[in-house]
Amino acid sequence: MTPTQAAPSGILNRLNFNSVVALGCVLLGLVIWLLIPTEVKEPPSFFGRPSAGISPRLFPEVIATGMMIIGAFYFVASLKMTELNGFRGLSVSAYVNLCVILFAMIAYVVLLRPLGYVASSMMVATAISIYYGSRNAVGIGITGILAPLAIYFLFTRYLNVSLPPFPWG
């Protein structure tokens, strides 16, 4: 859009990438705020009295509130930006690819606990490699099999980081 062109009228015509990011920030802040009661527990009380000090819920509440406020200001500012909406130029296959990756990441999270890090990483990395057209067996083997094994042993043996174990032990 050139500086001489008028800004598009209507809120839907003025939405752009920045608007989507701003709304995502507000939504994430709201989700964090709603999850605080179930995810953050108060410390135990001693002899019926609450412990002194700051509540462990304070920091997540401040972060969630800040994300919602900044996201709201960012959204208002994004409506005043005159830039092309890059989402309109994307093909349907770009949205399909995004949905496939989103589904793969959700499946990875779901499979992580029952199958362990290595097995779930192998399955998801191999599936993504094949979906995006890799037909090289060596490349798929390195990405889908050797990389998760190497990462697992590096993190658990040398860095002492706990990862969900193999399902068999």
Side-chain angles (χ1 to χ4, degrees):
M1 177 178 278
T2 62
T4 58
Q5 290 178 325
S9 62
I11 192 168
L12 290 178
N13 290 330
R14 294 187 314 211
L15 293 178
N16 54 46
F17 179 76
N18 293 303
S19 305
V20 174
V21 172
L23 290 175
C25 189
V26 170
L27 183 65
L28 183 59
L30 182 63
V31 168
I32 290 171
W33 183 269
L34 293 175
L35 288 175
I36 290 171
T38 61
E39 299 298 319
V40 179
K41 305 293 182 208
E42 290 292 331
S45 60
F46 299 106
F47 303 112
R49 293 182 162 209
S51 61
I54 297 175
S55 170
R57 294 180 181 196
L58 178 65
F59 185 70
E61 288 172 350
V62 169
I63 294 298
T65 304
M67 287 182 73
M68 289 187 285
I69 291 170
I70 290 172
F73 281 120
Y74 184 25
F75 180 74
V76 171
S78 74
L79 296 177
K80 297 175 185 174
M81 295 177 185
T82 54
E83 64 181 36
L84 294 176
N85 188 343
F87 291 124
R88 290 194 181 127
L90 292 177
S91 65
V92 174
S93 65
Y95 289 107
V96 171
N97 287 340
L98 178 65
C99 290
V100 167
I101 290 298
L102 191 60
F103 175 76
M105 292 298 106
I106 291 170
Y108 179 69
V109 170
V110 170
L111 294 173
L112 196 58
R113 182 161 281 173
L115 296 182
Y117 171 80
V118 175
S120 58
S121 297
M122 285 178 179
M123 288 175 54
V124 171
T126 302
I128 290 173
S129 296
I130 292 171
Y131 174 76
Y132 279 113
S134 178
R135 300 296 180 254
N136 182 350
V138 174
I140 292 173
I142 290 171
T143 303
I145 297 170
L146 291 180
L149 281 172
I151 291 169
Y152 180 80
F153 286 113
L154 173 72
F155 276 64
T156 57
R157 302 289 189 257
Y158 298 107
L159 299 175
N160 294 324
V161 173
S162 177
L163 292 175
F166 290 98
W168 54 83

